[in-house]
Amino acid sequence: MSCDLVAGLMSRWWDGVMDDRDRDAYEQHLLFCPPCMVQNDKARIALTALARAAREPVPADLRRDLVALLRPMP
C-alpha cells in the first residue's frame, strides 16, 4: 500500500469502516512507514481534542458574544 493510498484511507480507518483486508494492509503499512505513522498520530491527537471539546459546554458569555456576531446587520 502506498503512502498516498494510506493518506486517502485514513478517515475510513478512524471511522472503522474499512474491510478487514484493507484495514490489515493499512496497519501493516503504518508499522513500516514512520511518516505515515506520524500523520496517523496527528489525526489521533486532533480527533481526541475534538471529542473532548465537544463534551465541554460553551460558556454563557462566549455563547452570547457569538450569537451577537452572527446576527444579521440592519
Side-chain angles (χ1 to χ4, degrees), residues 4-36:
D4 288 338
L5 187 54
V6 165
L9 293 174
M10 191 174 295
S11 64
R12 292 178 48 83
W13 185 79
W14 279 104
D15 290 341
V17 295
M18 294 176 94
D19 63 42
D20 291 343
R21 190 187 73 163
D22 286 343
R23 186 187 68 244
D24 291 345
Y26 180 92
E27 292 170 356
Q28 187 71 20
H29 180 89
L30 291 181
L31 290 174
F32 298 100
C33 185
C36 286

Side-chain angles (χ1 to χ4, degrees), residues 38-59:
V38 168
Q39 288 303 109
N40 198 66
D41 286 345
K42 286 180 180 180
R44 176 185 50 77
I45 291 166
L47 291 169
T48 300
L50 286 172
R52 189 176 308 125
R55 290 189 304 260
E56 295 184 21
V58 176

